[in-house]
Amino acid sequence: MITRPLDLASKLRVEPRSLDALFYVNAGMLVLFFFVFGSRFVLAPGLGVDFELPKLPGAVSNAVTTTSTISVKNSGQIFADGLLSLPQLREWLKTEAKKNKHPSLLVRMSAGVPVSVQNEIVSAAREAGFGSNITLAAEEPAAYPAPGR
């Protein structure tokens, strides 16, 4: 026949009729990748790439470790173990403060969050038992090279 001069279809192997071990390995790897890339450690849910911390000189030198972390976007959305409203955040803060003997809180707020929202969150954390162990996250500003000749 002129449309199939090499007759390649007749030289192909027959498809296997059983599933070999490689199929199960591939399926297991796919499930593993979905669990890894769906993890909250890869990218916090709801925090887009437009989330930007405020710039503050000395932010890196004043860094401390904390026991709890929350994130706040410009729109007022609060993320802890998911999206929380302010009343839910108050309850979440109370349970987090009871988990440790010396609880500390890291508040990651986007650069455009109003100060009134910041004050509400900090006062709710103090009432919950965090005391003065509340740290507001910031980034070190980019260092510009000294002007040359």
Side-chain angles (χ1 to χ4, degrees), residues 104-122:
S104 58
L105 177 68
L106 174 65
V107 182
R108 298 185 308 173
M109 289 193 199
S110 186
V113 174
V115 176
S116 62
V117 174
Q118 175 183 339
N119 289 341
E120 288 180 25
I121 292 173
V122 170

Side-chain angles (χ1 to χ4, degrees), residues 10-118:
S10 67
K11 294 173 179 52
L12 292 176
R13 285 189 305 171
V14 181
E15 291 182 14
R17 298 217 179 257
S18 67
L19 300 174
D20 57 349
L22 187 60
F23 171 78
Y24 293 109
V25 170
N26 284 337
M29 293 298 285
L30 281 172
V31 170
L32 175 71
F33 285 134
F34 277 111
F35 278 115
V36 169
F37 290 114
S39 169
R40 66 184 178 102
F41 298 108
V42 176
L43 181 65
L47 292 180
V49 292
D50 62 339
F51 187 83
E52 185 177 330
L53 292 173
K55 307 282 190 259
L56 182 67
V60 173
S61 62
N62 293 331
V64 294
T65 57
T66 58
T67 59
S68 305
T69 303
I70 64 170
S71 301
V72 184
K73 290 182 67 172
N74 291 348
S75 60
Q77 294 176 317
I78 303 168
F79 295 94
D81 289 333
L83 182 62
L84 301 174
S85 64
L86 194 57
Q88 292 171 332
L89 176 67
R90 290 181 191 278
E91 293 302 316
W92 183 85
L93 288 170
K94 288 177 185 175
T95 58
E96 286 293 309
K98 292 177 185 175
K99 288 181 182 178
N100 295 302
K101 187 176 181 180
H102 301 289
S104 58
L105 177 68
L106 174 65
V107 182
R108 298 185 308 173
M109 289 193 199
S110 186
V113 174
V115 176
S116 62
V117 174
Q118 175 183 339

